[in-house]
Amino acid sequence: MRKVKERSFKAILQSGAIITTLIAVYILNDSSYSVLDALGFHSPFAKATIILLLLAALNIPFIAIFYFKRNKVVATIKLSHNQYLALFNNPINGVYVVDKEGYVQDINLALCKMLGYVYKDIVGKHYSTFLAKKSMERLNLDRDLQPDKSLVTTEQIIHKNGEILYIEVLSVPFFDPHGKKTGLVGVAKDVTKEKMYSEQLDVLKQRYKSLFDKNPHLACIIDKDGKITETNQTFQDHMGSYKVGVHFKEIIAKDSVDETINLFHKALEGETVTGTNELTGVSGNKIYIDYKSIPIMVNGSLEGIFVVARDITEESRLESLVKKDLQLANLLQHSVISKPLHTNEINISGYFVLANTVGGDLYVWYQIDDGRYGVLILDVMGHGVSSALISMSIRSLLEGLITRVQDPILVMEELNRHMYQLFNFNSTDSVRYFTSIYMLIDTKLKEIKYVNAGHPSGILSYSDKTYELMESNCPPLGLMKKINIESSSIQYEGRTKIILYTDGVLESTGMKRAGEAISVIANAFTQNPNLECEAFVLEALNKRKAPTEDQDDISILKVDLF
């Protein structure tokens, strides 16, 4: 546009000169001189003066046009220069000028501050002086210094203090009046922090990608609408890659859809939820999973749900087998406890509640001969399978010991020997033991002989509603190879009741002290002679607070003597 204006200006001046010349030629002919003579200008000097004045008058419009155009061009140039200075001296971005050989011709204050140098340290130096090794390795003068058009690159520049800066550079070529490239102008922006954040973000992305893709568990991302948007390799191996884009409810068991959707809505509210489910695998097989749904939050806004699921198919299969075995063991354990015994001289009954499927509590009774009965209750230390195995091992001995050995001291000595030899003699693990009460009841002699091996005190209740305790008279069985065992003997008259129980019954009363719990049990059976063991336990459990994780087995038996 500026060149067009300059050409128009030149054309006007050229036209003015031509017109002036033509007029001069016309004036200087003979008829012009005759007119001047008639006007009284006779001398050649006067005539020449008049002619020059006329020529000057004719050129005044053209001179005025020249100066008007000249001033307008100067104003435009000044405006462009001021705009260039404003851009060059901006306080934010660095600006520099480099000649076609790569030497710095000019820089602004912002670039000096950015690099830590003063003006004289940079101007006149080759721009490669300030490049770090990586930028030097890919230096291309033809490309970087003489681009055919603007070029954007990110260079590593060395700060004066030795620090490597990442500088984003916009290079623009400039030309001389003949259109020849003479150098370039560059605008530099320090993007070191952005580069650092970008690299940190890349590291985080790579870590996330590794955790997601290489996760040994099934992992997927579900959007807010419930559709699967991304899956890892483990998920694809189990379920197939085609599951992407499918709603999660289409891959889970139908009978768990409602529950799973409720958990999904909780996750959408920002809550981490866990659950189990059944999936249909890529080959139609059933896959059982234990999963956790974690909300994906970005700037406080939920973007989706990250789900990681552990394949528990084999674990569930084994657990099912173990459960069946435990159920069988439970049936076996219930089958070996004695059934109620009713005669004209004695009634014996009990109640048995396991904290788990199997446990370490056990009670038995046998009629030895006419008028004599052996009654035993025991509680193996601990809970669950290990205690149940020990109790069942002991159970196999009891009938022979009670019916043949009979004597309480001898029976307890044999049980102690058995327990110590089998479970503690060569054991480097924790010591195993059990507590027990064994009674030999003679209904003809009205006599009760017993040994209490560290067991909760038995309760002997009389018809006058008083009671006495059958307290421990030797240590628990199995702790030592030999123990000192003493027996106690009680004579009874009239209707007498004996209550034996394990420590789980004490806990069921809700009392903190053993003495208080024993009083609750004794008073319950003393005040109500017809109270049965099951009714007592169920009432106690109903009154008690929710059971704890370490809840013990409950065993209680009642002996009515007439």
Side-chain angles (χ1 to χ4, degrees), residues 338-356:
S338 297
K339 302 299 185 286
L341 175 65
H342 300 290
T343 68
N344 293 330
E345 54 195 8
I346 188 171
N347 285 341
I348 309 175
S349 62
Y351 187 64
F352 186 62
V353 179
L354 295 174
N356 300 299

Side-chain angles (χ1 to χ4, degrees), residues 25-93:
V25 171
Y26 174 78
I27 292 174
L28 293 176
N29 61 26
D30 293 338
S31 59
S32 299
Y33 286 111
S34 300
V35 173
L36 291 175
D37 287 334
L39 293 174
F41 300 100
H42 301 290
S43 68
F45 176 76
K47 290 178 180 180
T49 301
I50 293 300
I51 291 171
L52 288 174
L53 289 173
L54 287 172
L55 289 173
L58 290 171
N59 274 299
I60 285 174
F62 298 104
I63 293 172
I65 292 172
F66 170 77
Y67 278 103
F68 175 76
K69 291 292 184 180
R70 176 180 176 278
N71 290 339
K72 191 171 182 180
V73 170
V74 169
T76 302
I77 292 173
K78 284 184 177 181
L79 177 61
S80 298
H81 181 67
N82 290 336
Q83 289 173 341
Y84 165 76
L85 289 178
L87 291 173
F88 189 85
N89 294 319
N90 81 88
I92 299 174
N93 295 321

Side-chain angles (χ1 to χ4, degrees), residues 56-242:
L58 290 171
N59 274 299
I60 285 174
F62 298 104
I63 293 172
I65 292 172
F66 170 77
Y67 278 103
F68 175 76
K69 291 292 184 180
R70 176 180 176 278
N71 290 339
K72 191 171 182 180
V73 170
V74 169
T76 302
I77 292 173
K78 284 184 177 181
L79 177 61
S80 298
H81 181 67
N82 290 336
Q83 289 173 341
Y84 165 76
L85 289 178
L87 291 173
F88 189 85
N89 294 319
N90 81 88
I92 299 174
N93 295 321
V95 181
Y96 61 92
V97 179
V98 176
D99 66 18
K100 65 180 181 178
E101 302 298 331
Y103 290 92
V104 180
Q105 302 298 305
D106 198 4
I107 59 170
N108 69 347
L109 181 60
L111 185 58
C112 291
K113 291 181 178 179
M114 189 183 297
L115 303 181
Y117 293 95
V118 295
Y119 184 86
K120 65 179 182 178
D121 292 336
I122 299 179
V123 173
K125 302 284 183 63
H126 196 276
Y127 89 109
S128 63
T129 305
F130 307 96
L131 294 179
K133 183 179 179 180
K134 285 189 176 181
S135 289
M136 282 293 294
E137 290 174 351
R138 58 184 183 82
L139 176 63
N140 185 325
L141 290 176
D142 292 336
R143 179 197 67 201
D144 295 345
L145 295 179
Q146 298 188 28
D148 294 328
K149 55 184 178 180
S150 60
L151 179 69
V152 178
T153 60
T154 300
E155 306 293 347
Q156 291 186 11
I157 307 297
I158 304 173
H159 190 276
K160 187 176 182 180
N161 62 12
E163 180 184 356
I164 302 297
L165 302 178
Y166 288 88
I167 306 296
E168 185 178 85
V169 177
L170 169 63
S171 302
V172 181
F174 60 84
F175 307 85
D176 63 12
H178 304 290
K180 185 178 180 181
K181 298 174 186 175
T182 59
L184 60 83
V185 176
V187 179
K189 178 183 177 182
D190 186 353
V191 294
T192 305
K193 287 185 178 181
E194 289 88 338
K195 184 70 174 177
M196 179 181 67
Y197 294 149
S198 177
E199 289 177 351
Q200 290 177 349
L201 184 60
D202 287 341
V203 170
L204 291 175
K205 286 181 177 179
Q206 291 174 21
R207 288 177 180 174
Y208 159 75
K209 198 69 176 171
S210 297
L211 286 173
F212 185 80
D213 290 343
K214 305 301 181 182
N215 198 309
H217 302 307
L218 289 78
C220 67
I221 295 176
I222 299 175
D223 65 19
K224 291 184 286 187
D225 295 325
K227 292 184 178 179
I228 300 171
T229 60
E230 190 174 352
T231 60
N232 73 342
Q233 188 61 49
T234 307
F235 186 100
Q236 294 170 23
D237 292 342
H238 284 72
M239 304 296 296
S241 59
Y242 65 89

Side-chain angles (χ1 to χ4, degrees), residues 293-308:
S293 297
I294 305 169
I296 301 173
M297 306 299 295
V298 178
N299 297 324
S301 176
L302 187 135
E303 295 294 320
I305 307 295
F306 175 75
V307 181
V308 59

Side-chain angles (χ1 to χ4, degrees), residues 440-470:
L440 180 61
I441 302 173
D442 191 329
T443 58
K444 295 185 180 297
L445 298 176
K446 303 290 185 181
E447 182 183 44
I448 304 168
K449 289 182 180 181
Y450 72 90
V451 172
N452 184 336
H455 201 78
S457 299
I459 301 170
L460 197 64
S461 176
Y462 301 109
S463 57
D464 61 358
K465 297 187 178 181
T466 61
Y467 65 88
E468 63 177 293
L469 301 179
M470 304 166 65

